[in-house]
Amino acid sequence: MNEKLALSDEILLSVDKPERYIGNEVNSVTKDKNKVDIRFAMCFPDVYEIGMSHLGIQILYGLFNSYDDVWCERVYSPWVDLDKVMREKNIPLFALESQEPVKNFDFLGFTIQYEMCYTNILQVLDLSGIPLKSCDRTWDDPIVIGGGPCTYNAEPMAEFFDLFYIGEGETRYRELFDLYKESKKNGDSREQFLRKCAKVPGIYVPSLYEIKYNDDWTIASINPMYEDVPQLVVKEMVTDLSDAFYPTKPVVPFIKATQDRVVLEVMRGCIRGCRFCQAGMLYRPLREKDVEVLEKYAVQLLENTGYEEISLSSLSSSDYSGLPELIDFLIDYCRKKKINISLPSLRIDAFSLDVMSKVQDIKKSSLTFAPEAGSQRMRDVINKGLTEEVILKGAHDAFEGGWNRVKLYFMLGLPGETDEDIEGIGDIANKIAKEYFDTVPKENRHGRTVDIVASTSFFVPKPFTPFQWAPMASKEDFLEKANTTRRGIMAQLNQKHIKYNWHETDASVMEGILARGDRRIADVILKAYKKGCIYDAWSEHFHYDVWMETFAECGIEPTFYTTRERSKDEIFPWDMLNCGVTKQFLYREWETAMSGKVSPNCRQQCMGCGARSYNVGVCMEEKTGRN
Amino acid sequence: MVKVRLKYSKNGPIKFIGHLDVMRYFQKAIRRADLDIKYSEGYSPHQLMSFAQPLNVGATSDAEYVDMTFESITTVDDIQNRLNATMNEGIKILDAAVLGDNDGKAMTIVAAAKYKVTFRDSAKPTFDWQSELREYLSGEHLMATKKTKSGEKEIDMKPLIFDYDIKDEALYILISAGSVNNLKASLIIDNFMKSKGIEMDTIIGLQLHKMETYCAGEDSKGSYIVPLISHSESDKIYVTFPE
């Protein structure tokens, strides 16, 4: 137990949830700092309960600590109350395990999971006393490295990072650590070390690239500054997931984290190819883990953590080929041990309904459908292979099985969307309600009725998707679309059984700017941070007006990044990266989308996206042909 | 079915873990230790476990108690060892005893508690608080305003204080606790400071350490209090309970 805390009792007792800052959780790792060569501070730049729920950090934390010469600790964003106290009292940000200042570490790693955490990254650097910009750092500062989905276009944050790790973290960190030790031993300068890092596959060193711009504000060229710096940084990927490191002793927080359960990752990647989905492109190709390996991990994880719930993690668990076998095992094991099974991301069909009826209380649970778009035309454009027929059949079966609550998820502002597409949202919600009344006779309803919740989010085009060329809708358009949706629902016969929720527009607009932003936005982020913007992902702390005012002050027009349609050959800010999927494939898919046609999934037919070059996973399977 | 009472300590950084999270912590520890605990009936069964008294966030203790119902046990020592093997060092099982059928629930039988009270550095009085406090506590009545669910109530703390000692910069005090006549140690200091014209935030200013938790009993010698787990007659402390 580490008795010595960085914060005094008085401070801890005056802030909300002091448990966020005291470390000492079950399975947290403490080492003798004098016996390790590398101290790594791993940060999720958001509040503890969010950060502790992230699987990626648990994987890297376990992996790094399995190395004798490395001690990896955790850091999260101090909540706004402690943030204030630390600034007032000049208390440096510390890592949880040793409670020692982050500034003294060799590496500070950030997982960058969403754009709206960018100011929190500056907060963590600032509170740590680390210069915000890479160019101002010396060997006295940690090497600041970023990973995670946003690194596929972290150009707005490029100035603040020394390195970005592109791809899955399991593969290259050992090499990076060895290089670091060698550079330190040789007395290399920090610049020399960063230059050497550029040769490690998957490592992108932003300071070694020069970006030139055209008069119309688009990018003219992206060039490495030296010959030995690669023109293209290629995504790193685990080729054998069954064999890859998996943390069987994850840290168990004292307070209830958002993800308060064992998380069993069953596969990576997705075969579906939904055209709006960045994860579906970035993690290609789909790679499954062996059922036996998962069964072994499930038992070990539950024994080592004491959690009373286990959840399967993947982008689309229904596509995991070993699912029936794995579920049978889990149902049997968990029943004996009184452990709950949670099954997110299952497609509603006869199999999943049967499974869910075994593991959930039907009266309390609801069914989730994600049609994503209201009309079949629009669902074809986004390549969401879910038809109205399938939804209604699933709902029918579920209502027969005793369910009566349905959640529906849609996006608004999809490319080429019309009012008819939006009105389809109310239409399908109404048809589901009608299906309930047709399926369940009055005498079987027992005072219950059908309860439908339709939610819409606003579509944000993301890099490395077929929609990266698409204009994003404006804030005004979004509001109008939400109104059209609401009116469409209100006009339905069963409208009193349908509840409608929509997301805020401001945050979506901001996310849209950052998602396809370039290096010139760094000034805006820095300035907004200095004006007090942190925790932008939390609506109560997000100040849209401050951001817009800052864009104006910096002379940057936000709509350049959002509502503008890109031409076919435009150079994107992220074009120095190769995520395994080619730009040609993405453009083909964009054109197919615009012609309203669907593409088969990876198990049906290979569409030549480029991910086959990794020679693994679904790319190696026999294809079934269309449908 | 076997009911077992466990005594545990809560020290170090773990003192910042709130009561609900301590309960969740135990639920997980029991699973890790693979103990054969009994679950409630129903669709979402929960472990049968009942805690004596919540401890304030920031307070430490060497005498927290929890009752657990097991389907079966080996020995109480085995339970203690298996739990300690899987627990954070800040929470340690100190003792365990099998309960009889007639033993009341830990939650309902608490009658008194002994605390060590010290000032945190930032709140240390600048005057000779030890002598002043001794004088304050010797008063015939110690009136205080107690916050209750229904509002505020004027109480006399004096009959709720069974014993005390002031030494080595600390107040050691044995006070009435439980559902009927619960007295908070911090209320005494709060009123003492007020009598000196000083307002203090006792949550931040005081370090409370619970030394023992007692239940009440009566024998031929009179009414007494005794630790919730007791192995010896000599543990009994004879007291006069308030009316």
Side-chain angles (χ1 to χ4, degrees):
Chain A
M1 186 166 65
N2 187 355
E3 292 269 5
K4 208 176 104 277
L5 297 182
L7 301 171
S8 70
D9 283 9
E10 286 86 345
I11 292 174
L12 285 165
L13 288 168
S14 63
V15 298
D16 191 29
K17 301 203 175 97
E19 295 142 302
R20 288 166 173 161
Y21 313 111
I22 61 170
N24 283 293
E25 304 95 327
V26 167
N27 295 337
S28 60
V29 178
T30 299
K31 295 190 179 186
D32 180 345
K33 65 176 174 182
N34 300 313
K35 289 186 180 149
V36 295
D37 299 320
I38 291 175
R39 295 188 65 182
F40 197 111
M42 181 69 84
C43 178
F44 191 111
D46 205 318
V47 76
Y48 177 90
E49 299 92 297
I50 305 281
M52 275 303 289
S53 304
H54 183 244
L55 177 62
I57 282 195
Q58 296 269 16
I59 292 175
L60 294 182
Y61 181 81
L63 177 69
F64 294 177
N65 280 322
S66 75
Y67 304 143
D68 284 340
D69 57 342
V70 181
W71 182 12
C72 179
E73 305 184 36
R74 293 158 301 135
V75 187
Y76 302 98
S77 281
W79 186 241
V80 289
D81 54 355
L82 181 61
D83 176 278
K84 193 161 163 269
V85 174
M86 292 177 85
R87 285 171 204 272
E88 275 167 13
K89 298 188 189 279
N90 259 320
I91 300 169
L93 184 61
F94 53 92
L96 291 182
E97 282 77 357
S98 66
Q99 298 274 316
E100 291 180 358
V102 170
K103 164 105 173 157
N104 302 343
F105 281 58
D106 298 286
F107 284 87
L108 170 57
F110 287 96
T111 180
I112 321 178
Q113 294 291 315
Y114 31 85
E115 293 83 0
M116 301 298 273
C117 75
Y118 287 173
T119 53
N120 279 54
I121 293 175
L122 298 186
Q123 176 213 21
V124 168
L125 290 169
D126 202 7
L127 289 177
S128 300
I130 298 167
L132 299 183
K133 292 188 178 179
S134 169
C135 61
D136 297 329
R137 293 182 196 133
T138 69
W139 268 135
D140 288 340
D141 302 299
I143 297 294
V144 178
I145 181 168
C150 287
T151 57
Y152 287 91
N153 180 35
E155 286 304 284
M157 291 297 285
E159 278 188 34
F160 309 118
F161 279 84
D162 300 319
L163 305 171
F164 287 116
Y165 185 119
I166 308 301
E168 295 169 355
E170 287 98 333
T171 56
R172 294 290 173 181
Y173 267 108
R174 185 63 260 179
E175 206 172 321
L176 201 60
F177 293 153
D178 290 337
L179 190 62
Y180 178 83
K181 282 163 69 169
E182 194 192 290
S183 269
K184 279 267 170 166
K185 203 173 79 191
N186 296 346
D188 288 350
S189 69
R190 206 169 189 271
E191 290 66 34
Q192 282 170 318
F193 169 67
L194 296 182
R195 181 90 172 267
K196 284 181 179 173
C197 288
K199 294 201 186 80
V200 178
I203 302 297
Y204 164 48
V205 188
S207 58
L208 300 180
Y209 293 77
E210 187 185 25
I211 320 287
K212 290 204 177 107
Y213 300 94
N214 295 313
D215 289 343
D216 67 358
W217 200 257
T218 56
I219 290 173
S221 65
I222 301 174
N223 284 310
M225 291 178 184
Y226 306 97
E227 281 205 342
D228 58 349
V229 174
Q231 181 75 49
L232 259 187
V233 179
V234 183
K235 170 183 84 169
E236 273 299 299
M237 206 185 65
V238 175
T239 48
D240 183 355
L241 267 189
S242 293
D243 215 26
F245 177 87
Y246 199 71
T248 52
K249 288 186 87 177
V251 180
V252 184
F254 291 112
I255 37 176
K256 204 170 174 154
T258 315
Q259 185 81 264
D260 185 38
R261 52 188 68 84
V262 162
V263 178
L264 191 63
E265 184 191 35
V266 297
M267 59 185 187
R268 275 186 208 166
C270 181
I271 58 169
R272 298 277 148 188
C274 299
R275 292 178 181 129
F276 55 84
C277 179
Q278 193 190 32
M281 297 296 157
L282 295 184
Y283 303 117
R284 284 182 173 217
L286 175 116
R287 290 146 292 151
E288 300 190 338
K289 293 190 190 182
D290 292 342
V291 178
E292 302 78 60
V293 172
L294 292 175
E295 289 174 0
K296 188 183 78 187
Y297 283 158
V299 172
Q300 286 177 1
L301 281 159
L302 288 165
E303 284 177 355
N304 291 339
T305 59
Y307 276 120
E308 59 176 17
E309 186 164 302
I310 184 168
S311 174
L312 303 186
S313 166
S314 77
L315 292 169
S316 167
S317 296
S318 292
D319 291 325
Y320 176 60
S321 55
L323 193 66
E325 193 185 337
L326 179 63
I327 298 261
D328 275 351
F329 172 84
L330 287 178
I331 287 179
D332 188 46
Y333 179 82
C334 294
R335 185 170 289 153
K336 274 184 252 162
K337 300 277 180 184
K338 305 269 196 310
I339 285 158
N340 301 320
I341 304 172
S342 128
L343 298 166
S345 73
L346 278 193
R347 266 195 312 283
I348 306 298
D349 56 23
F351 169 75
S352 62
L353 287 171
D354 177 53
V355 168
M356 285 191 286
S357 69
K358 283 180 193 154
V359 304
Q360 294 171 349
D361 185 350
I362 293 173
K363 284 195 192 102
K364 286 182 194 149
S365 65
S366 57
L367 293 175
T368 303
F369 292 98
E372 307 292 2
S375 69
Q376 195 58 48
R377 186 196 79 81
M378 200 72 235
R379 284 193 293 273
D380 289 348
V381 168
I382 63 177
N383 207 35
K384 182 86 191 181
L386 190 61
T387 63
E388 183 175 298
E389 197 189 338
V390 169
I391 295 170
L392 292 178
K393 172 78 169 70
H396 171 85
D397 292 350
F399 294 146
E400 277 198 325
W403 275 273
N404 68 326
R405 295 199 297 185
V406 180
K407 284 189 204 156
L408 299 170
Y409 289 98
F410 301 93
M411 282 186 288
L412 293 177
L414 289 161
E417 186 178 74
T418 65
D419 279 358
E420 288 90 79
D421 296 320
I422 296 173
E423 280 152 11
I425 294 173
D427 187 49
I428 194 153
N430 189 60
K431 280 180 179 156
I432 292 172
K434 182 174 182 299
E435 189 68 43
Y436 177 83
F437 296 116
D438 291 350
T439 307
V440 186
K442 212 163 191 170
E443 60 272 23
N444 292 352
R445 289 179 204 158
H446 309 296
R448 294 160 71 207
T449 185
V450 67
D451 177 10
I452 297 167
V453 181
S455 303
T456 58
S457 60
F458 296 115
F459 170 62
V460 178
K462 293 282 165 106
F464 292 110
T465 66
F467 290 169
Q468 62 183 347
W469 285 274
M472 183 172 150
S474 69
K475 182 178 164 173
E476 294 70 30
D477 289 344
F478 277 146
L479 285 173
E480 186 49 44
K481 284 167 187 292
N483 272 322
T484 307
T485 311
R486 192 176 48 81
R487 281 196 305 270
I489 287 173
M490 295 298 282
Q492 300 298 328
L493 197 59
N494 293 306
Q495 52 104 347
K496 66 174 187 195
H497 298 283
I498 309 166
K499 189 169 175 273
Y500 174 49
N501 298 323
W502 68 94
H503 282 210
E504 286 159 86
T505 51
D506 291 353
S508 302
V509 170
M510 193 63 223
E511 187 186 328
I513 299 167
L514 296 173
R516 291 187 291 175
D518 56 38
R519 291 187 177 188
R520 291 167 295 188
I521 290 180
D523 289 343
V524 182
I525 298 172
L526 183 57
K527 216 165 174 182
Y529 166 72
K530 295 224 155 130
K531 288 179 182 179
C533 288
I534 50 167
Y535 282 104
D536 297 305
W538 296 68
S539 55
E540 69 268 39
H541 294 292
F542 175 56
H543 302 293
Y544 182 74
D545 46 340
V546 175
W547 277 99
M548 290 306 124
E549 167 196 294
T550 312
F551 272 103
E553 283 166 18
C554 295
I556 293 177
E557 176 50 53
T559 55
F560 173 81
Y561 300 100
T562 52
T563 56
R564 183 176 63 93
E565 179 160 357
R566 276 79 167 159
S567 70
K568 182 183 178 183
D569 43 15
E570 177 168 334
I571 296 174
F572 293 136
W574 50 91
D575 274 352
M576 75 293 280
L577 306 180
N578 173 343
C579 83
V581 171
T582 63
K583 201 168 178 180
Q584 292 83 340
F585 163 76
L586 294 172
Y587 197 79
R588 276 205 310 276
E589 278 293 296
W590 172 230
E591 287 183 314
T592 317
M594 288 303 95
S595 66
K597 292 200 183 81
V598 297
S599 292
N601 72 46
C602 298
R603 285 213 166 105
Q604 293 166 336
Q605 186 187 328
C606 177
M607 298 303 284
C609 73
R612 201 180 187 288
S613 63
Y614 289 93
N615 290 314
V616 292
V618 70
C619 297
M620 302 291 105
E621 287 174 21
E622 194 89 23
K623 303 298 163 196
T624 62
R626 227 172 237 267
N627 299 317
Chain B
M1 195 175 86
V2 188
K3 281 191 182 177
V4 174
R5 178 163 297 157
L6 299 160
K7 179 183 189 179
Y8 66 93
S9 59
K10 189 183 176 201
N11 283 308
I14 306 303
K15 71 184 177 187
F16 294 106
I17 312 295
H19 185 61
L20 284 176
D21 291 325
V22 169
M23 292 166 70
R24 288 166 14 87
Y25 175 83
F26 267 95
Q27 288 162 5
K28 293 191 176 81
I30 286 167
R31 289 174 182 283
R32 288 195 298 269
D34 199 21
L35 298 175
D36 190 17
I37 195 152
K38 191 172 166 59
Y39 284 81
S40 65
E41 306 295 324
Y43 205 92
S44 40
H46 60 268
Q47 300 172 349
L48 294 180
M49 202 187 321
S50 141
F51 286 77
Q53 235 197 349
L55 188 69
N56 283 349
V57 171
T60 55
S61 175
D62 282 324
E64 295 302 291
Y65 290 91
V66 55
D67 292 351
M68 296 178 184
T69 307
F70 293 96
E71 295 282 4
S72 68
I73 63 165
T74 46
T75 62
V76 285
D77 285 350
D78 183 48
I79 291 176
Q80 184 174 344
N81 293 338
R82 273 157 74 180
L83 278 174
N84 279 338
T86 176
M87 300 241 272
N88 180 299
E89 298 153 64
I91 292 182
K92 197 168 176 213
I93 310 292
L94 305 171
D95 203 353
V98 174
L99 293 180
D101 291 340
N102 299 325
D103 286 319
K105 279 186 188 167
M107 201 194 302
T108 58
I109 60 171
V110 172
K114 187 176 184 186
Y115 288 94
K116 176 186 178 187
V117 185
T118 47
F119 288 93
R120 288 204 172 89
D121 288 345
S122 60
K124 216 154 247 173
T126 48
F127 56 93
D128 178 7
W129 68 270
Q130 299 189 69
S131 339
E132 300 276 349
L133 180 60
R134 197 169 283 120
E135 194 184 318
Y136 172 80
L137 289 174
S138 66
E140 196 179 337
H141 296 285
L142 295 173
M143 301 313 290
T145 310
K146 186 177 166 183
K147 287 198 183 79
T148 65
K149 276 175 197 149
S150 49
E152 291 185 339
K153 188 169 96 176
E154 196 69 15
I155 61 154
D156 183 3
M157 299 187 288
K158 185 74 178 186
L160 304 179
I161 300 172
F162 299 131
D163 192 15
Y164 65 88
D165 189 10
I166 300 165
K167 61 179 182 196
D168 310 329
E169 298 277 313
L171 164 69
Y172 295 84
I173 192 156
L174 179 62
I175 49 181
S176 177
S179 49
V180 188
N181 279 309
N182 197 53
L183 176 61
K184 285 183 174 171
S186 56
L187 190 68
I188 303 167
I189 301 295
D190 187 32
N191 280 279
F192 162 62
M193 295 299 277
K194 275 195 185 117
S195 77
K196 299 281 147 209
I198 300 167
E199 287 288 337
M200 80 174 281
D201 182 339
T202 53
I203 292 175
I204 289 179
L206 295 180
Q207 176 65 58
L208 299 183
H209 176 73
K210 196 190 275 182
M211 301 171 71
E212 191 49 270
T213 308
Y214 303 87
C215 56
E218 212 176 300
D219 61 17
S220 54
K221 284 184 254 172
S223 57
Y224 62 83
I225 55 171
V226 67
L228 259 61
I229 295 178
S230 167
H231 303 288
S232 158
E233 273 293 303
S234 63
D235 288 342
K236 289 179 181 174
I237 303 170
Y238 289 87
V239 296
T240 310
F241 286 108
E243 290 298 303

